[in-house]
Amino acid sequence: NSVMPLAAAGDREGALAALFETVQIRRQLAASDPSEAAGLAKWLTNLSTALGKMGRHDEAKAVASESAEVRTRLMRGTNKSR
């Protein structure tokens, strides 16, 4: 994953693009394998945090809500991807 090196180098836009790509991959994985949902939730939280730090609060809130939904499904044992 290229997120951390990009962020460390100060390339916030590049890091954000890598986060979006990682989340998309994680969504696909979770859709085909429910055991991947915890990883999806983690990366959604990472993306939400990054968006918030960049002042993109509406997007951050939406992504955080999706992460919370995934975690709620995990806790309830009803992990069905959207």
Side-chain angles (χ1 to χ4, degrees):
N1 192 314
S2 61
V3 175
M4 297 307 289
L6 290 169
D11 184 1
R12 291 172 50 167
E13 290 297 327
L16 190 61
L19 275 169
F20 272 109
E21 182 178 348
T22 298
V23 165
Q24 185 59 32
I25 291 166
R26 291 290 181 162
R27 281 185 180 126
Q28 293 170 356
L29 287 171
S32 64
D33 181 358
S35 71
E36 295 289 336
L40 171 60
K42 177 186 115 177
W43 283 101
L44 286 166
T45 299
N46 293 344
L47 177 57
S48 175
T49 299
L51 288 165
K53 287 181 179 180
M54 295 180 74
R56 295 168 63 171
H57 301 291
D58 290 340
E59 289 173 272
K61 183 179 176 183
V63 173
S65 292
E66 183 181 352
S67 178
E69 289 173 16
V70 172
R71 291 178 192 278
T72 299
R73 287 194 307 266
L74 282 168
M75 289 182 356
R76 291 183 178 158
T78 58
N79 185 34
K80 293 183 181 166
S81 188
R82 295 173 161 203

